Amino acid sequence: MTIRVKFFASLREQITDPKTEVDGALVKTISDVWKQATDHPMPPHVLCSVNLEHKDATEPVNDGDEVAFFPPITGG
Amino acid sequence: MTIRVKFFASLREQITDPKTEVDGALVKTISDVWKQATDHPMPPHVLCSVNLEHKDATEPVNDGDEVAFFPPITGG
Amino acid sequence: MPVLIKPESFDPASLQKAHEASMSAGDFGATASFTGTMRNFNEGDDVTGMMLEHYPGMTEKELEAVISDARSKWDIQDALIVHRVGDISPGEPIVLTVVWSAHRAAAFDACRFLMEALKSRAPFWKKETLKDGSHRWVEKNTPGYS
Amino acid sequence: MPVLIKPESFDPASLQKAHEASMSAGDFGATASFTGTMRNFNEGDDVTGMMLEHYPGMTEKELEAVISDARSKWDIQDALIVHRVGDISPGEPIVLTVVWSAHRAAAFDACRFLMEALKSRAPFWKKETLKDGSHRWVEKNTPGYS
């Protein structure tokens, strides 16, 4: 099983050639997913979600999850 | 010269046969205008205006003024 | 004309759009709008109709003063107040307040201020007709802040 | 459907009316509405266009959660959130939040809550095009309370 990884907005433009999937066996937390997906260090204000829910980067992930990283929200 | 007197809403219905004008020489304050215009005692929550401006009943009136009495406002 | 007294039923959306047409799109970023509508119930009773009395002259003056107070308190682009008078039926709009501004905080604050200020200052009085045909004057407004 | 994501320009007044048509007139007494419109200036610069990116799926989920939070906090009748995505031009609406309730306090409070909550939770991002053709991501929102 794998974990799908998405980047949005300015992060998507900044992270060159990220992996869109990482091996679930290699990661325990959201932070681990970031490290597997890209060589870039994680910027300070990055927001994270797992399966469409806001999460802290320290929270766990499971096989089959969709993990997303994005900058502060600016809608509305 | 005279002072015109108006009553609105529930007050207009309660005050039977009020004067619509009082003699400016007989009154100094808004309260005096009430006493000249009707025999009813002034109810506790009556609001007053002079020349379309909110005023306290203790404030003075002058010849030619338009004085109005009305219940608490319930618009909007 | 930012203040309108309407003896007939009005459509809040149309009046808001008509006023907005006089403004330059792109100049404002926030529009806060409030519509008060006549309900078919009040204080536990079925209400079938209402008569809105006002003090012509003073009403317009107070509504204009309310808008000018809002302009002095917040950085707003424009404002509109429309208020119904006369006989009205449940479901019909009673009042519309709209504020346009660059940012949303001023629009929200000022729009609410217009409503609270007009309810305390502008001489309007409501007389309800109940289901049994009897009439009663509304004695006080509901609180504006919960 | 209290949440709409719009890839094309929308008319806030029409959508508000359309939603209201599903409700029983006379049941609600208060409608508070907010429209955010794209300005032609931001942080001192002329802005000629904007692209609104979102996270399909999560966006809808968060907007629905925002409405359900509002319903649990206030006694409201109904609510509507419409948000634009994609390429948009100055003067076009970005967002619409509407709340219907019996009394005005809940409508005002909940409508403002919808805006503040969606701005902090719903995954949308703005990228501006400036007059000289350059692009920049908007980095943070303006404060919601002055």
Side-chain angles (χ1 to χ4, degrees):
Chain A
M1 283 285 277
T2 56
I3 289 171
R4 281 162 297 144
V5 190
K6 292 183 171 183
F7 296 86
F8 286 95
S10 56
L11 268 190
R12 182 175 38 72
E13 293 183 353
Q14 284 158 23
I15 307 297
T16 44
D17 207 24
K19 289 183 188 154
T20 57
E21 294 189 341
V22 303
D23 184 344
L26 300 176
V27 294
K28 285 188 171 158
T29 66
I30 297 176
S31 292
D32 296 339
V33 174
W34 177 282
K35 284 173 205 148
Q36 286 291 321
T38 171
D39 293 332
H40 290 257
M42 195 192 279
H45 298 297
V46 164
L47 300 174
C48 318
S49 70
V50 176
N51 301 333
L52 312 182
E53 284 196 10
H54 289 287
K55 296 285 180 189
D56 282 334
T58 54
E59 298 207 43
V61 289
N62 294 299
D63 254 356
D65 282 351
E66 171 171 308
V67 174
F69 299 100
F70 40 82
I73 281 166
T74 55
Chain B
M1 284 284 279
T2 56
I3 289 170
R4 280 161 298 145
V5 190
K6 293 183 170 183
F7 296 86
F8 286 95
S10 55
L11 268 191
R12 183 176 35 74
E13 293 183 352
Q14 284 158 22
I15 307 298
T16 45
D17 207 23
K19 289 184 189 155
T20 57
E21 293 190 342
V22 304
D23 185 343
L26 301 175
V27 294
K28 285 188 171 157
T29 67
I30 297 176
S31 293
D32 296 339
V33 174
W34 177 282
K35 284 171 205 150
Q36 286 292 320
T38 172
D39 293 332
H40 290 256
M42 195 192 281
H45 298 297
V46 164
L47 300 175
C48 318
S49 69
V50 176
N51 301 333
L52 313 181
E53 284 195 12
H54 288 287
K55 296 283 179 190
D56 282 336
T58 54
E59 298 207 43
V61 289
N62 293 299
D63 253 357
D65 282 349
E66 171 171 308
V67 173
F69 300 99
F70 41 84
I73 282 166
T74 55
Chain C
M1 278 290 287
V3 166
L4 297 169
I5 305 292
K6 289 276 181 190
E8 300 95 23
S9 190
F10 67 89
D11 177 35
S14 309
L15 294 179
Q16 181 172 333
K17 277 182 95 163
H19 191 84
E20 205 167 284
S22 71
M23 304 168 63
S24 183
D27 274 6
F28 57 90
T31 311
S33 165
F34 178 85
T35 303
T37 308
M38 193 192 149
R39 285 173 299 136
N40 49 25
F41 60 95
N42 192 27
E43 307 200 355
D45 296 306
D46 287 339
V47 180
T48 59
M50 186 185 273
M51 194 275 296
L52 264 156
E53 183 172 331
H54 76 304
Y55 184 172
M58 182 167 176
T59 305
E60 293 83 343
K61 195 176 155 298
E62 286 297 317
L63 294 179
E64 279 159 20
V66 160
I67 288 183
S68 110
D69 283 1
R71 283 187 179 282
S72 71
K73 282 173 195 281
W74 291 280
D75 185 14
I76 65 178
Q77 213 99 354
D78 211 340
L80 171 68
I81 299 178
V82 184
H83 206 293
R84 182 72 184 279
V85 294
D87 290 319
I88 107 162
S89 303
E92 290 183 345
I94 298 171
V95 62
L96 168 70
T97 61
V98 192
V99 171
W100 292 267
S101 62
H103 298 290
R104 72 191 185 284
F108 275 122
D109 284 337
C111 180
R112 191 163 191 171
F113 168 85
L114 292 185
M115 272 305 297
E116 299 313 315
L118 82 83
K119 282 182 101 84
S120 73
R121 296 177 51 173
F124 292 104
W125 303 275
K126 288 174 182 162
K127 188 182 197 175
E128 296 175 333
T129 305
L130 301 186
K131 210 177 179 179
D132 63 6
S134 65
H135 301 280
R136 71 177 176 201
W137 288 97
V138 176
E139 290 190 352
K140 59 178 165 68
N141 278 319
T142 51
Y145 294 88
S146 51
Chain D
M1 278 286 288
V3 165
L4 298 169
I5 305 293
K6 289 278 181 189
E8 300 94 23
S9 191
F10 68 89
D11 176 36
S14 309
L15 294 179
Q16 181 172 335
K17 277 182 96 162
H19 191 84
E20 205 166 284
S22 71
M23 304 168 65
S24 184
D27 274 6
F28 56 90
T31 312
S33 165
F34 178 85
T35 303
T37 307
M38 192 192 150
R39 285 174 299 136
N40 49 25
F41 59 95
N42 192 25
E43 307 200 355
D45 297 305
D46 287 339
V47 180
T48 60
M50 187 186 271
M51 194 275 296
L52 264 157
E53 183 171 333
H54 77 304
Y55 185 171
M58 182 166 176
T59 306
E60 293 83 344
K61 195 175 156 295
E62 287 296 318
L63 293 179
E64 278 158 19
V66 160
I67 288 182
S68 114
D69 284 0
R71 283 187 179 282
S72 71
K73 282 172 195 277
W74 291 280
D75 184 13
I76 66 178
Q77 213 100 354
D78 211 339
L80 172 67
I81 298 179
V82 184
H83 205 293
R84 182 71 185 278
V85 293
D87 290 317
I88 105 161
S89 304
E92 290 183 346
I94 298 171
V95 62
L96 168 70
T97 61
V98 192
V99 171
W100 292 267
S101 62
H103 298 290
R104 71 189 185 286
F108 275 122
D109 283 337
C111 180
R112 193 164 189 169
F113 169 84
L114 292 185
M115 271 307 296
E116 298 313 315
L118 82 83
K119 283 182 99 85
S120 73
R121 296 177 50 173
F124 292 104
W125 304 275
K126 288 174 181 161
K127 188 181 196 176
E128 296 175 333
T129 304
L130 302 186
K131 210 177 180 180
D132 62 8
S134 65
H135 301 281
R136 69 176 178 202
W137 288 96
V138 176
E139 291 190 352
K140 59 179 167 60
N141 278 319
T142 52
Y145 293 89
S146 50

